[in-house]
C-alpha cells in the first residue's frame, strides 16, 4: 500500500505532473467530514485497482494557490491526470463505483 503524499506548492505539483504518467489529486480539508471519510475509500480503490496512479493529498487550507489554479474550491474534489492532462474531475457527491468505472476505462487505454 502506497503512503499518502501531500503536495503544498505549485512548483512541486508541476514537477509531479510532468514526471509521472498518472496522478490523482485529492483536495480536502481536515474540517470536512465527508472528505475525511471518503479519502480512505478512494485511496483503497487506487491502491487495489489502479496501482500505477500516484495518490496526492492537497489541503485547501494550506495550499490555496493550488486550489485556485485548478479551480478546486469544493471539498472533496478529485482530479486525475494522465500524461500531465486533467482527464477526470469529480466533486462533492462522489460515488466510488462511478469513480472506478471512469478511471478503469482510461487506465486500460493507457496502461494495457
Amino acid at each position: 500500500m502506497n503512503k499518502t503524499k501531500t503536495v503544498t506548492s505549485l512548483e512541486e505539483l508541476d514537477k509531479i505532473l510532468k514526471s509521472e504518467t498518472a496522478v490523482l489529486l485529492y483536495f480536502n480539508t481536515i474540517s470536512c467530514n465527508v472528505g475525511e471519510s471518503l479519502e480512505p475509500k478512494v485511496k483503497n480503490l487506487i491502491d487495489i485497482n489502479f496501482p500505477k496512479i500516484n495518490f496526492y493529498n492537497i489541503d485547501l487550507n494550506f495550499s490555496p494557490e493550488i486550489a485556485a489554479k485548478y479551480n478546486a474550491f469544493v471539498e472533496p474534489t478529485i482530479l486525475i491526470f494522465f500524461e500531465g492532462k486533467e482527464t477526470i474531475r469529480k466533486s462533492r457527491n462522489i460515488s466510488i463505483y462511478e469513480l472506478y468505472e471512469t478511471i478503469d476505462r482510461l487506465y486500460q487505454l493507457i496502461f494495457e
Side-chain angles (χ1 to χ4, degrees):
M1 185 181 251
N2 294 330
K3 183 179 177 242
T4 300
K5 298 165 246 169
T6 302
V7 178
T8 57
S9 73
L10 277 172
E11 296 78 22
E12 180 184 9
L13 182 54
D14 287 342
K15 287 179 190 173
I16 289 167
L17 293 176
K18 287 178 183 171
S19 65
E20 298 180 15
T21 304
V23 174
L24 182 145
L25 303 180
Y26 190 87
F27 291 86
N28 192 29
T29 64
I30 58 170
S31 62
C32 177
N33 292 332
V34 173
E36 285 294 306
S37 65
L38 184 65
E39 183 178 352
K41 294 174 187 172
V42 173
K43 180 89 173 84
N44 191 43
L45 173 76
I46 297 302
D47 286 345
I48 292 171
N49 299 292
F50 309 110
K52 294 179 182 176
I53 296 177
N54 295 311
F55 186 100
Y56 292 92
N57 191 299
I58 300 172
D59 189 312
L60 296 171
N61 291 330
F62 298 112
S63 304
E65 68 284 347
I66 297 174
K69 180 174 181 180
Y70 292 98
N71 294 314
F73 300 110
V74 177
E75 51 186 299
T77 294
I78 296 172
L79 302 181
I80 301 175
F81 293 79
F82 286 104
E83 298 173 345
K85 294 179 180 68
E86 181 185 325
T87 331
I88 299 169
R89 176 180 287 258
K90 299 281 184 188
S91 292
R92 196 166 279 163
N93 297 323
I94 300 167
S95 160
I96 292 295
Y97 178 75
E98 286 178 20
L99 184 62
Y100 171 83
E101 291 289 313
T102 306
I103 295 171
D104 188 51
R105 187 177 60 80
L106 292 165
Y107 191 87
Q108 300 302 325
L109 287 171
I110 293 186
F111 292 112
E112 296 185 11

